[in-house]
Each structure stands twice: as structure tokens, then as C-alpha cells.
Amino acid sequence: MTDSITEFLRTFFQLSTTLIVLFIIISFLVSLLQQIVSEEKIMKVLNHPNKTVGYMLGTLFGAATPFCSCSTIPILAGLLNSKAPFGPSMSFLIASPLMNPVMMFTLWILLGWEVALVYFIVLGVFSVFAGAIFSRLDLAKTYREVGIKVKQEQEPMEENSKVKQAMEDAWGFLFPMLPYLFIGVFIGAFIYGFVPESFIAGYAGGDGILSVSLASVVGIPMYIRAETMLPIADALIAKGMSLGTVIALIIGGAGASIPEVVLLSKLFSRRFLVAFISVILLAAISTGLIFNALL
């Protein structure tokens, strides 16, 4: 029992410290990027004459901006209201919550660079194809233009002001995330310290299509934020759950959360929502199976 408590405390403090430092650094860098790259600049770049390049650029911008699915929706609405091309905007929508910097660097720190690299490549390719599919299905007609407040272009700031603003944004982002982070770290540390490996391996250790599909479906209503899920995922994998099953759970929860679907329902018709959820489930299942096959 003493060893379990010691392992719990060690894991809790180690993960908490690592993730807090990581969040501050990545949030600082992303804030600097967002001060340079405005929505207007993104919209202009997405209007690339080569559609494939446009989808790729939409995916890359999604990977560089915001931190969760819900904060992506206002930016998406702003892009579509500004007549940005629909397909690349959809690539942005898919990539943003699943490939953002916090997600990628946390995967790297907790699960290794190989996992982060495969994840980025697979989800990047999927986001590009998803944008093309949404465009081919002519889902742009399902968009209901909604008036939103678009952040006005700010006057250029001095370098010192940008750094100061980035630090304020980093701290401002960290504090709302701390409860989610500590919940995830607490559960992960508890699994490390007290849950037997035989229990995880026996009840959730499958790596077949059924286990991966179930994890993908379960992830959506759970809405476990990536900040909470990733420390738990690290512990589950260490205890015997297959990597692909955990990845499918993360993608399902982060990519098509209930709050995001509710917000999207204000912008799009039911036909779009069905297509969107189907695409996220397909991404979760496919990525999970790929991980189980490769890693």
C-alpha cells in the first residue's frame, strides 16, 4: 500500500510539473503566432488557386490554432462569412482540435515522438481528404450565415508588447485549463499507483476493430478534453490498454464533442452534422487501427 501511495504521489507531481511548463511554453508561442497571422491573412491564403494546396494550408492553419473544438467554431464562422473556400475551411475545422500544438507536444512528451509523428501524419492526411469530401458533397449549401463579432485587425505592436501580450495569453490560457489538467493527472496517477495491470489488460486491452470502434463512439458523449485525457491515456497504455484504442477515444472526444456539435448545429443543417460526426468516427476508428497495426 505504501508503494502504491508513493507511486501515486511521484506520478502526480511529475506529470503536473511537466504539463504546466509545457502549457505555458506552447501557449506563449501560439499567442505570438496568432498576433502575426490574423483571420484575414488565413482567409487570403486559403483562397489558393490549387485546391489540394488549399486543403493542406487549411490543415496546417488548423494545426497551429486554437486549443479546443468549441473555440474553433467562431473562427470557422468568420472564415465562411468572409467567403473563404469551403473545403479548406473544413480541413481547418477537422484539424484544429485534433492537431493543435498543445495536443501534439503533450503526445510527444507522454507517449514519444514516434506516436506524435504518426498521429500528425495520419490526422493531417485525413483532414485534407475530409475537406475535399465535404466540398465534393456540396455541403457548403448547408451553411446558415450567422452574424458574429469578428476581431478587428489591430495596429502593429512593438516586439516588447507582443512578448508581454503572449505571456498574458499564456497565463490566461493556463488557469482555466488547470482543473482539467489536475483531474486528468489525478486519474492517471491513481491508475499508475492503484489499478492492477491485469485489470486493464483483461477488460480494456483489446486491439481489434470492435474495441477501437467502441472507444471512438464512447469518446463523443464523454467529452473528455485532451488536457484531461492525455495523462489518463498515458496511464492506460502503461497498464495494458492498446495504443490504438486510446487514440480512438481521444479523437472521438476531442474531434466531435457534444458542445462542438451543438455549436455547429447553429451554423449548419442536420445533413452537415451527420456528415461531420461520421467523418470524425471514421477518423477515430481508422487512426486507432493504424496505430495498433504499426505501433
Side-chain angles (χ1 to χ4, degrees):
M1 185 65 177
T2 303
D3 290 341
S4 296
I5 294 174
T6 301
E7 179 69 12
F8 168 81
L9 294 174
R10 183 192 67 79
T11 304
F12 182 85
F13 286 111
Q14 181 180 356
L15 280 176
S16 297
T17 303
T18 301
L19 292 180
I20 287 173
V21 172
L22 177 67
F23 271 48
I24 293 174
I25 293 174
I26 301 304
S27 301
F28 175 82
L29 295 176
V30 170
S31 177
L32 284 179
L33 177 64
Q34 290 179 325
Q35 291 178 49
I36 298 171
V37 183
S38 65
E39 288 180 28
E40 289 77 9
K41 292 178 181 177
I42 294 176
M43 188 269 291
K44 291 177 182 177
V45 172
L46 293 184
N47 274 298
H48 198 280
N50 186 308
K51 291 184 178 180
T52 302
V53 174
Y55 298 137
M56 294 173 65
L57 290 172
T59 297
L60 290 176
F61 277 122
T65 54
F67 299 103
C68 73
S69 56
C70 295
S71 59
T72 304
I73 307 304
I75 294 181
L76 174 68
L79 290 173
L80 294 178
N81 287 350
S82 301
K83 307 306 177 186
F86 186 77
S89 298
M90 293 301 101
S91 294
F92 172 89
L93 172 67
I94 300 294
S96 182
L98 296 176
M99 299 172 60
N100 64 66
V102 171
M103 171 80 85
M104 297 311 307
F105 277 90
T106 307
L107 277 174
W108 187 343
I109 295 297
L110 295 181
L111 302 180
W113 67 268
E114 298 97 336
V115 172
L117 179 62
V118 173
Y119 180 95
F120 187 86
I121 293 173
V122 173
L123 266 298
V125 171
F126 199 92
S127 297
V128 170
F129 278 103
I133 291 171
F134 275 61
S135 181
R136 190 67 179 268
L137 292 175
D138 203 20
L139 291 175
K141 294 179 179 178
T142 66
Y143 176 63
R144 310 175 187 127
E145 187 165 334
V146 177
I148 60 169
K149 283 187 177 180
V150 180
K151 188 165 67 173
Q152 300 295 321
E153 190 85 42
Q154 296 180 347
E155 293 294 325
M157 291 191 293
E158 299 291 335
E159 289 302 319
N160 288 340
S161 299
K162 290 181 180 179
V163 172
K164 181 180 178 182
Q165 183 63 50
M167 283 302 303
E168 291 177 356
D169 289 344
W171 285 109
F173 172 64
L174 174 65
F175 287 114
M177 292 298 105
L178 279 177
Y180 301 103
L181 186 149
F182 283 132
I183 289 171
V185 170
F186 180 88
I187 296 174
F190 182 86
I191 293 172
Y192 266 114
F194 295 100
V195 178
E197 294 180 12
S198 58
F199 179 85
I200 299 294
Y203 289 93
D207 59 358
I209 188 170
L210 181 60
S211 298
V212 173
S213 300
L214 182 61
S216 303
V217 173
V218 168
I220 293 177
M222 285 179 65
Y223 184 43
I224 299 178
R225 297 179 66 106
E227 295 85 1
T228 303
M229 186 59 208
L230 287 171
I232 300 173
D234 183 36
L236 290 173
I237 292 169
K239 290 292 185 175
M241 182 179 282
S242 73
L243 176 60
T245 303
V246 173
I247 292 294
L249 182 67
I250 294 172
I251 294 174
S257 65
I258 290 177
E260 181 186 17
V261 172
V262 170
L263 289 174
L264 285 173
S265 70
K266 307 299 182 184
L267 304 180
F268 298 94
S269 71
R270 185 177 300 176
R271 178 170 169 245
F272 176 90
L273 297 179
V274 171
F276 175 77
I277 295 173
S278 300
V279 163
I280 295 299
L281 285 176
L282 180 60
I285 295 170
S286 302
T287 307
L289 292 175
I290 290 172
F291 266 94
N292 282 341
L294 295 180
L295 301 175

